[in-house]
Amino acid sequence: MSDTRARLEARAQQYQEWMCEEGYRARDPVWDDQADTWDVHVKYEGATLLLVFDVDDAGFVRILMPNFWTVEPEALPAALAALDLANKKCKCAKVHLNARGDDTIAAVEFLDQGDQMRPATLLRYLAMVVNAAKFFAGAMQEQPESMQPA
């Protein structure tokens, strides 16, 4: 195991422990061979989030909420409008469509602060991801009936 991979595993384990100490369910880090990342699955405020630690950029952390809203083809214009609104209004977190354009991903990306990183900061990032997803969902539900899927 490379030194970088081992250091990232330890960092992912630290984040996982913080989540558990804060009362959230977080699984042990899992190595993703395809992406060369350590991934930690976390249950946070009713959502399943993924913390991703990338070997190719060891100081970078990504928090994802994948596949939280399926987009039907006829709802694509409404989804694009909701994405735009969520990304304008929400701090730090962004909502994206997947490569196929049929599902959504909310994300926050940040530079790990090493020993200066604190659980409270991590919790704030997690809340930002969930907030962006909720904002998007609210915008989709407020669309005129003609823009909503049948």
Side-chain angles (χ1 to χ4, degrees):
M1 181 182 302
S2 75
D3 186 46
T4 301
R5 183 173 160 181
R7 277 185 290 129
L8 271 184
E9 180 183 19
R11 197 66 185 145
Q13 186 68 44
Q14 176 68 61
Y15 277 52
Q16 183 266 343
E17 289 170 9
W18 284 343
M19 293 306 303
C20 290
E21 288 168 6
E22 294 293 329
Y24 297 98
R25 286 189 337 209
R27 292 191 218 154
D28 288 335
V30 175
W31 177 250
D32 181 340
D33 275 326
Q34 271 188 301
D36 285 340
T37 60
W38 283 105
D39 301 340
V40 177
H41 292 82
V42 176
K43 283 296 236 181
Y44 177 82
E45 304 299 330
T48 300
L49 303 178
L50 185 62
L51 282 68
V52 180
F53 300 80
D54 191 337
V55 168
D56 291 333
D57 192 350
F60 184 75
V61 181
R62 180 178 292 125
I63 301 174
L64 305 171
M65 183 181 191
N67 308 322
F68 69 89
W69 188 283
T70 300
V71 178
E72 300 297 329
E74 61 274 8
L76 185 58
L80 292 173
L83 284 170
D84 187 48
L85 188 60
N87 290 339
K88 284 179 184 174
K89 297 287 185 179
C90 295
K91 293 180 180 178
C92 197
K94 298 299 175 205
V95 181
H96 309 274
L97 289 176
N98 66 4
R100 293 181 308 276
D102 63 359
D103 226 322
T104 53
I105 304 158
V108 164
E109 301 172 333
F110 60 95
L111 296 174
D112 181 40
Q113 300 165 7
D115 291 339
Q116 303 211 340
M117 183 70 173
R118 298 287 176 256
T121 305
L122 176 59
L123 291 173
R124 178 98 191 260
Y125 286 135
L126 293 167
M128 288 174 172
V129 171
V130 171
N131 181 59
K134 285 180 181 178
F135 196 95
F136 172 86
M140 286 297 288
Q141 292 166 346
E142 291 175 7
Q143 293 288 332
E145 193 170 317
S146 62
M147 295 295 281
Q148 291 189 6

